[in-house]
Amino acid sequence: GPLDKDGQWLYRVIALGSKGGAQVHHAKSERAVFKPMLTWVPTARTNITVFAEYQRDYNNTVQGYLPRLGTLQNRAIGKISPRLFVSEPDFDRARGIRKRAGWEVNQQLSDNWSMRHHLRFAKNERILNTMYPNYSLMDEVWVNEDGEVDIENGQYMQRTFSHESGRRNSLTGDLLFQGHFNTGSMKHNALIGFDMNNIHGTTRSMEAEATPLNAYDPVYGGYELPDLSEIDPQTKKFKAYGITLQDQVKLTDALSITGALRYDRVEQRLTSPGQEKNAVTKQNDHKVSPNIGVVWDVGGGVSPYINYAESFEAQYGTRLADGGLAKPTVGKQVEGGVKWLSPDKRILLTGGVFNINQKNGVLDDPNNPGYSIQNGKIKSRGIELESAFNLRTVNLIAQYTYN
């Protein structure tokens, strides 16, 4: 709403508070959110908004990772209650606090050029203490009072304690200039963009075997919280910078071409638990990614098109088992097809073929939990059909992809 009669100052405040429970015993959830925003519109060409945000989540963990026997399949002793709380109520928690602040600026520089700018700082803190069944034991997770495996009649479930805590500070920003102008008979829609992302995070984590829990008659308090102050931290530093140049040129009323260049540079620093402070894993990557596309309106609403694009995706802090960091995932795509737009512009039909080549994709390492592996090359080719119908009060979209 407005703060003054001229409408130059506007405000908005979002506040939320919630508290509840869950199906699982001892599981509670609380959330508080407060987000004020202030906008200044001194002229029709200028719009500036500043904002802040605070969010707090206090929860207990509800994921059980319960075993197959005793839940989906019956045991001789019977099934366990779906309300079973596997962890310890005294110290189980999943809590997080997020603080953000920033601004957005929109400025019309001239009749042909405009500028948009965003800057945001965020600070996140989290802590997770939880316990879950030792699912790696499969059916042998069940033991008797003496700790001996008893799949059919054992009342005690073997558990694992897990802790993770960390802090992350991030600063992100972008600056974009957009211009509309003509060179002779050609019409241009040009973009010049700069962006950056700076992240500094620290994480502490551990897992340990814990005491079994009587899942049929649970008594808590039999496991003492380990000393978490001695956990060595993992520190991640990530800096990414990008420059984008793009121009969409309408050569004639029927023929348009779009060309773009994107430059990315990424710097990563990782200090893992057990490493000395100066023993840092470093990795720097950079790439120029082109993109070019052509659309030709042949009449009757029919427009053939073709497009070539390259991609670059950095993998923030992704560790490999050999001690290195994952390389960015890169790809190339070629796509061609045809579009049809009805005379009333309420129906759009698109059909195309595509060919995608990607390398350095990231997958979980099956032999080293907590680490990743990078595959070789992935090829994907196929056809894609899409339809969009504007029925005035309802929009219908249908898609089909075969590869």
Side-chain angles (χ1 to χ4, degrees), residues 341-380:
L341 183 64
S342 63
D344 59 4
K345 298 184 179 181
R346 294 175 57 191
I347 302 175
L348 176 63
L349 303 178
T350 304
V353 296
F354 61 87
N355 183 47
I356 301 173
N357 292 295
Q358 186 188 80
K359 65 179 182 179
N360 298 331
V362 175
L363 301 172
D364 291 336
D365 190 335
N367 300 318
N368 298 281
Y371 292 88
S372 300
I373 58 175
Q374 291 195 280
N375 54 27
K377 296 182 178 180
I378 297 178
K379 294 185 178 181
S380 176

